[in-house]
Each structure stands twice: as structure tokens, then as C-alpha cells.
Amino acid sequence: MNICILGTGYVGLVSGVCLAANGHVVTSVDLQADVVDRLNRMQPHIHEQGLPEMLRRVGTEKRFRATLLLDDGLADADLVVIAVGTPTTEGRIDLRYIREAAGQIGTWLKRSSRFLSIVIKSTVLPGTTDTFVRSILEQTSGKRLGAFGLGMNPEFLREGNAIEDFTKPDRIVLGHEDARTLSLLQEVYQPWSCEKLAVNTRTAEMIKYANNCLLATQISAVNELANLCFEVGGIDAQQVMTGVHLDKRWNPVLAGQRVNPSILTYLVPGCGFGGSCFPKDVQALCTMGQEHRIEMSMLQAVLTVNERQPRQVLRLLEKHFGSLEGRKILVLGMAFKPDTDDVRESAALKIVRDLAQARSTIIAHDPIALDNARKALEDVTVSWVSDWRQALTEIDAVVIATKWVEYTALAQPEHTAHLQGKVVVDPRRLFQPKDFPQAVYFSIGRRPIS
Ligand code: UDX
């Protein structure tokens, strides 16, 4: 099938490349000439594991190309997927890019006699596709739904694992407003054997939000429990959660083996969730609740707990040092999670800002997100280092803010030798207390009482 995709972020580009790798012919449309040029030279402009190889394959097979022109992208398309950004502006979802895309497609539809299905893949609030998008398409094309198709196919991609999540999905949600779009979506995803759920578009939109909000809720719930463990003292929240994880409702035993579902990785104490999804999606549902005049008490609390969580790191350091003025603190990791260069809403940035506010001297590192972090913190005085090992001799404390595997080296004797009597703060639990016998080890949700 000929598919056109608007938007070349990690959702649009990964979706396009993976669909092309599964037999479709994909034309990606973007507004930026340099991005289009790079993609046609089969060089991705975003960092995702496995993307360069897959882009090279589908580009070589002539199954994937990029263009600046929507008309070019739609020329032979049976289906167009809108995967443009839906940023948050003042706590509300910003649909300007969706509006622009739908308007351009509607204008094209006006001139075309061919049937085309328009499928939203961007995360939009429940009831957006079948009202906001539909009305723009009908107004700009002069046609009614039925003369074109309308669908909503949410993505469940984790940054850094987007290729894996697209190629091996848990389920595919086929949101549709008309039968032709449903059958087109069934054809698009025919190569995938997982369960497929055919629902209306607003149900599809809500599945996406509910999924993210419930994951974020787990994180904040555990963090709140961890903070109480810290205040009580003598309880390690990590041990508490290990005890919880053994409940068969979280972690069933099958044929004598624990299943160890990945939900358990969202039930660990930490310094809060970041990224371009969880904070934005939880906030968007809270705002939607207000507009429908209902209390979103739970989700509001998820945000409140999360906004405060990175500050636990400052509290730990001030509890130990008193004033942090002039203290040299190395912060390892800026990305909102490992294996991505994305720093949006990263807890690490909030930790750096807190340390700057406390007038400490900050040294910072990240394996691949350094440039993005430097831009996001351009108003903060930070010494950016490419090799964190060199900094160990001159610091008073080190904070491992992102769980990059590379930082496990910190526990090697050659490095712990420089940490004698110094403070190690491990809010992502990359380590155990025993890894730093000569240092003062802190983590979230753990306060030994002597
Ligand atoms: C998330 C959803 O997982 C994905 O399905 C959706 O499509 C997009 O949003 P993503 O934001 O890329 O994906 O990252 P994810 O791996 O889910 O982690 C989100 C944040 O939660 C990260 O900042 C991570 O550090 C944090 N996190 C995760 C915690 O703070 N504590 C945990 O226990 C687990």
C-alpha cells in the first residue's frame, strides 16, 4: 500500500521506516529541507537504536523516500498518517500543527477525486479526531466524511526503543470512523500478528492517554511511598518494592518461574518521570477534566508528586553538607532516561537547576545528550565534561541522575578510590550501598538509622 506520513519525529520517521520495512511504500513529508535531504541520503536526523540500518535498507529498496511537497507525498497515497508534534502550551495541548496538516490535506482533497483515508497518529485528546480534525477536513475539502476516510492509530513507542516497540507491538489500536478506513488499517497492519483492537477514534485516543497516565501514576505512587520511607527511616523503599513485586498479581509464577513483567520497572523509587509524553499527557487529561468540570484529583496528584520529586536530591545533599555553596558536584546523566538524547522534562535538568540555586559548583556529563542539555541549561553555569572520570578527584559529591549503563564503571576500584569520604547520590538505583563502602551513599527512599 502507498502510505504518506506527515512528520519525521521519532514517531513519524520510525513508523514510516517500519511500515516500509513491512512491504509498504512510504513517502515522508517534512517542512525542513535539510531533514528531507538527510533522509533521502538515508541518514536519520534522530537517534533511535536500529533506525540507521533500517532506513538504509528501505531507502535502498526504494520503499521509503522524503519530500517537502505534500502533493508529491499524496500523489499515489491510499492513506495519509498525521504524525506531527502536539506540544503543550500553558498546560494545554497545542493543535496548531494538526490544524495545519489537516488543512493542507483538505485543500488537496478538494482538487482530488480519489478516496483518501486520513489517520491521526499524534497523541491528541479524546474527541479530537472526530470533531476538530473532521471539521477542518470537511470545511477545507468541501466534502463530507465518507467521501474521505478518518482514523486514529495511536503509537505506544518508548524513546530509545521505538523501532523495537513498533516492530514488536503488544497490540495495535485501529481507531476508525468509517468502514473503508478500518479495512485500510487492517491491510496496513496485516504483517503484524499481535491483537488488533477496532474501536472508534475517541476510544483509540483515550487508550493512549489512559496507558500513559496509568504508567505515570505507578511511578508517582511509588515515589510518594519512598519519600515516606525516607522520613520514617530504617526502611529501604527498594526492598519494600521487592516485597511488593513478589505479589503474584504484579509478578505471576508460571511453571515455577517468575514472569517478571516489565510493569515492575515502573514500580521502583526514583527522582521522577520526564520525557515528551508522560508529563504532557497527564497534564492534558487534567486540563480536559477541568473543561468537563470534573475533579481529576488522582492525575493532578501524580503531577504534583512528580514535580517535587527531583528536589529530593537537593534535600539529601543539604542534609549532609548543610550549605552547598561552593561544593563541587558532578551530575552524571542529563537525558530523561538512558539510550536517548532527549532531555525534555528530564529530572536531571531540574536537579542541576536546584544545585545552581544552592550555589554549588556543577560539573555535568551525558554520553549523547550533552548538546541538548547545554541548550536547555544555557542560563545556568555548568562545566560540561566529555570524560566524567577526570572530574572524580576534584568533587565533593556525585549524582547519577540518568541510569546510563556506562556509569556502572563508577563502582570500579580505580574510581571508588577517588570517592573516599565523598557523597554518592543514586536516585535511579543504578548501584547498591555496598558498591561504595568508603563513600557516603544516598538514594531516594532510603535513610539508615544508626
Ligand atoms: C512513554 C511510554 O512508555 C510509551 O508507551 C509512550 O508511547 C510514550 O511515553 P517514554 O516517555 O519514551 O515512553 O519513556 P519511558 O521508558 O516510559 O519512561 C518515561 C519516564 O519515566 C522516564 O523519565 C523514566 O526515567 C521514568 N521512570 C520510569 C521513572 O521515573 N520511574 C520508573 O520506575 C520508570
Side-chain angles (χ1 to χ4, degrees), residues 7-9 13 17 28-30 32-46 51 55-56 59 64-67:
T8 57
L13 181 55
V17 166
S28 194
V29 180
D30 198 275
Q32 302 161 74
D34 60 326
V35 169
V36 167
D37 177 49
R38 282 192 62 164
L39 292 178
N40 285 328
R41 283 187 285 111
M42 298 178 267
Q43 290 172 6
H45 62 301
I46 57 167
L51 182 58
L55 176 57
R56 212 172 8 263
F64 179 92
R65 68 184 180 84
T67 178

Side-chain angles (χ1 to χ4, degrees), residues 10-11 48 123 155-161 165 171 208 211-212 215-216 218-220 222-223 263-279 281 306 335-338 340 342 344-347 401-403 428:
Y10 86 93
V11 173
E48 274 295 340
T123 301
E155 50 83 12
F156 299 98
L157 308 179
R158 291 165 298 152
E159 280 198 58
N161 304 79
D165 290 345
R171 73 319 204 172
K208 167 68 182 176
N211 205 57
N212 275 1
L215 288 168
Q218 313 281 352
I219 295 169
S220 282
V222 174
N223 286 340
I263 189 64
L264 301 184
T265 65
Y266 291 79
L267 288 166
V268 295
C271 50
F273 57 80
S276 61
C277 298
F278 283 177
D281 292 353
N306 193 59
F336 81 94
K337 67 171 189 175
T340 179
D342 193 340
R344 285 175 289 185
E345 299 295 319
S346 174
T402 310
K403 210 169 176 176
R428 295 290 184 197

